[in-house]
Amino acid sequence: MDDLLQEFIAETRETLEALSGEIVAWEAAPGDRARLDAIFRFVHTVKGSCGFLDLPRLGRLSHAAEDVLAQVRSGERTPDRGLVNAVLAVVDRIGEIVEAIDAGSSLDDSGEDLLISALAEGSDRIASATAPVPQRAPTRSVRLNVDLLDRMMSGMSDMVLARNELARRLRATEIEPEIEAALERMSHTVAELRDTVTRTRMQKIDALFSALPRMVRDTAAGLGKSVTLQIEGADVELDREMIELMRDPLVHMVRNSIDHGIESPAERRAAGKSENGRLTVSARQSGNQIIVEILDDGRGIDTDRLMRKLIANGTRDQRELQELSERQRLELVFEPGLSSRDEVTEFSGRGVGMDVVRACIEQIGGRIDLDNAPGKGLRIAVHVPLTLSIISAIVVGVGDQRFAISRPSIEEIVSERNASIRVDMLGGTPVVTVRERRLPMVDLGAMLGLAARAEPGARMLAIVSLGAASYALSVDTVIDNEELVIKPASPAVMAAGLYAGQTLPDSGLPMLLLDPAGIAATAGLDCGLGVVQSEEAAATETEQPGLPALLFVDLDGARRTVPLGIVDRVEQVTVDSIRRTAGRLRLAIDGRLLPLAAQGTFGDRDKLGVLRLKDGANEVAYAIDEACDIVMLPDEMAPSTAPGPVAGVVLLGDEQIELLDVHWLFAEHLDRDEGRELPLCLLTGGAVGWMGTFVRPLLEAAGYRVALGHTQGEAPAIVLSADDSEAPPLTGAPLLRLRSRRAAAGADDDSIYRYDRAGLLSALEARLSAKGGC
């Protein structure tokens, strides 16, 4: 409101100064209709603004003067000297009140009733205000022609480019310190001047949003609907000319959301929604772009209905439409002459719609994105550039091409050679780990079809931030940091969704500014943008956090999942690095031997994927065919009927997917008791040769250390001896005798039959537990 009040004060002052000569001329010639009309327009404008700004004193004076001047214009009253003097006195008083408002001081209103009474027909008195007039505050604003601002910005842009070229040429040679210091001072001054000139064209987008509440109210009332409007980001600044160019497209899209999107109260009740629809209009800045979003919690877009309308109109072929992807079907809403309404209303049904809106947005270098959730709502995101702006940008190279990225959108730049950087493949998608932080990676060269110059592993990674989300953008080189003049690119270029504008650096070679959000969307990354829910749905809907899991195709062809939190990385290994040794499959990797679990055979594969599973201290590898996707597992799971590698089955969509039992995998495949001191078993007696051949492998496989005959100074945890051997050495350790006969000699015989595998291990564990050695 303060900005509107200051604008009102500035406009009133300007008009009063322009009218000063007209008022004197009208006093000399009261019958001059042109001058009368100019004064009438002034008091009429003041009266209208006072109602909006809540200035009752100004409104009362201007309303009285307007009524009298309207009578003169209609011929009901003839202007005389007394009337002219009374009108002039009212106009002077309006100027005095405006100055008092600007100065923040009070002004007595005792004489204003006399001013109004002097306007009455037949009055021969002129009342003048006796209150002291506050001193006029120094003028702090000036109104300029937009063309003049354009020329200022163009000149500033040329100055920046000239500064960049001068700096590049000077720094290519040896320069004196005094010249370099002067260049730095000039650069600092140019930067400050650039920011100042840029701000002269900026205006809060509230000027675009301020008319929406009344328009939404009237549109909803005309359609018999109840809609609550929420406006966010009204303080975001946008080029003044851009605001005017966006006004009509925004109004059209908001009306479409109310008319086509938000259902009637009866339909919303039947759908379990609140009768009151929600509409959110927001603005935010992303790099060198402003994103205006219109979100509703209505029915969304019925793409099947759009296709039926196009087929009925004969504009598109049915077979051609059925082959379209869901995204392409959604784009049908921009077809010329298409309306989803069957009947013509005040707001829709004429077939003049989103095609015109998109054409208007593309003409100013913008684009429109749609995010549709049938039955829940629609998000329309309008990306528009800041028309003409100078930004700080990072110049990167891919192949033979150069591109600019807005510097504020880059968190950091790292090299793949860095020891803290690791790039893994998740299915066909690369994932980079930067200091234990996992980010999806987008290869800019592959996306644009450019041949990379940098060798794999030697590229640069720009960590790009999109609000709460981030990703790594892979480029060949990082060239420079420059201040660049950005202008909208052609509609065909902007329609690609990858660029935010174009620039001409001091090298003279045109360069495109990348759009980080558009790149993420093209790569299929989730940027966290969704559809607005109704208040009731937001209050009652229970969030299902689920469990993030990796979906993969196993060696036996089955699709399975494993909790994502336990997957350290996904790697490709050669089959030659896998061998069955010491009773289990093992993978030789990174100079280590990892136990390997597998369901299925390797077949004729030369390579296969491996999930490296970690629980923090231990690691087990799991062989797969390929990784597919990251999914959220539902809470409900049908458990497996028996222990094994599969914990149970969950339902993803209509597909039954098995979930790996990672606890079982670690229990069965991890080398036993890894990381702690294992109990030492001493094998003694005359049959030590047999015991070394038969018993030792059994004990080692069960997780014990084994010594034959003596322990080299270390006290054993238990001693095992054949029953027919001489007395074992006195060690203080429990003794377990192995007999050769199947049956025990008597009730007091606690020996174990030497080939009773389960009995031997059970007795061993019992002896150690009794001692407290396990």
Side-chain angles (χ1 to χ4, degrees), residues 286-307:
S286 176
N288 194 45
Q289 288 190 324
I290 297 295
I291 302 176
V292 178
E293 293 184 349
I294 302 99
L295 303 95
D296 66 70
D297 66 343
R299 59 172 63 92
I301 295 178
D302 186 349
T303 55
D304 291 335
R305 179 178 175 81
L306 293 180
M307 291 193 294

Side-chain angles (χ1 to χ4, degrees), residues 731-749:
T731 62
L735 175 64
L736 178 61
R737 289 184 177 275
L738 305 180
R739 64 178 183 267
S740 58
R741 304 178 306 276
R742 184 179 295 273
D748 296 332
D749 187 359

